[in-house]
Amino acid sequence: MNGFLALLAVQALNVPAYSPPGALPAPVPERLSLVIATTVSETDPQPLCDRPNCTSLFLGRYGEAVTVAGPRLAEAFAARVEMGSPWIRPYRLALVVENRPGKEPLVRAMTGFNLRTGKACFEPGQLRDLRWSPEGPGISREHGALCVDGRGQGAPQ
């Protein structure tokens, strides 16, 4: 009986977060920025649906931000970010952030840095719906992925 309860508990913990399709408005490519920043906190979750495993829009706070492409963001900023739960510690991430006039900015995509290469690469399809392809120093394309070189920008090494 205890084994059965343990199995049920493990299954309950492994339920993937559900991101409802169409919950977020379409992005405006001209308002997108590619930023390298450190997570500070994630608070004020706003669930995107009624399901128990539904993702929420947290109010993420970020510091030590460096804008790599697009409109410049402040070194410390806040933006809504879709997550299942908050981070358990600070991370250095590459983010695509949309500035939304009259609303909080919105993180449209995020990825971490490879400790070996110092690069953060967005999966090939991760940015497709954004209809945005930034260019500039430190930005490259590798095997269909958009990558950002974070060396010298505070990326973990």
Side-chain angles (χ1 to χ4, degrees):
M1 182 67 165
N2 285 342
F4 177 71
L5 291 176
L7 180 61
L8 283 177
V10 168
Q11 286 179 333
L13 293 174
N14 288 329
V15 174
Y18 173 71
S19 177
L24 300 175
V28 178
E30 301 79 38
R31 296 182 184 156
L32 297 175
S33 298
L34 179 57
V35 181
I36 297 172
T38 301
T39 61
V40 175
S41 66
E42 299 80 32
T43 59
D44 187 30
Q46 299 175 351
L48 291 173
C49 67
D50 292 335
R51 292 170 67 158
N53 63 331
C54 192
T55 57
S56 296
L57 281 181
F58 283 81
L59 182 59
R61 297 193 188 285
Y62 302 91
E64 303 170 346
V66 177
T67 303
V68 178
R72 186 173 175 82
L73 290 176
E75 188 177 327
F77 68 95
R80 288 285 167 184
V81 57
E82 183 179 1
M83 301 177 76
S85 62
W87 298 108
I88 57 171
R89 65 180 189 91
Y91 291 95
R92 191 76 172 153
L93 301 172
L95 308 165
V96 175
V97 180
E98 181 179 2
N99 185 20
R100 304 182 305 164
K103 294 183 177 182
E104 295 152 321
L106 178 63
V107 174
R108 291 293 187 162
M110 70 175 115
T111 191
F113 284 88
N114 179 305
L115 296 176
R116 186 177 51 78
T117 66
K119 293 183 181 181
C121 294
F122 294 92
E123 295 296 321
Q126 196 174 359
L127 304 180
R128 183 179 309 120
D129 292 341
L130 299 181
R131 302 179 321 273
W132 184 62
S133 184
E135 305 267 332
I139 299 172
S140 62
R141 289 179 179 64
E142 299 176 18
H143 309 290
L146 181 119
C147 298
V148 183
D149 191 334
R151 293 172 290 197
Q153 304 293 340
Q157 298 185 24

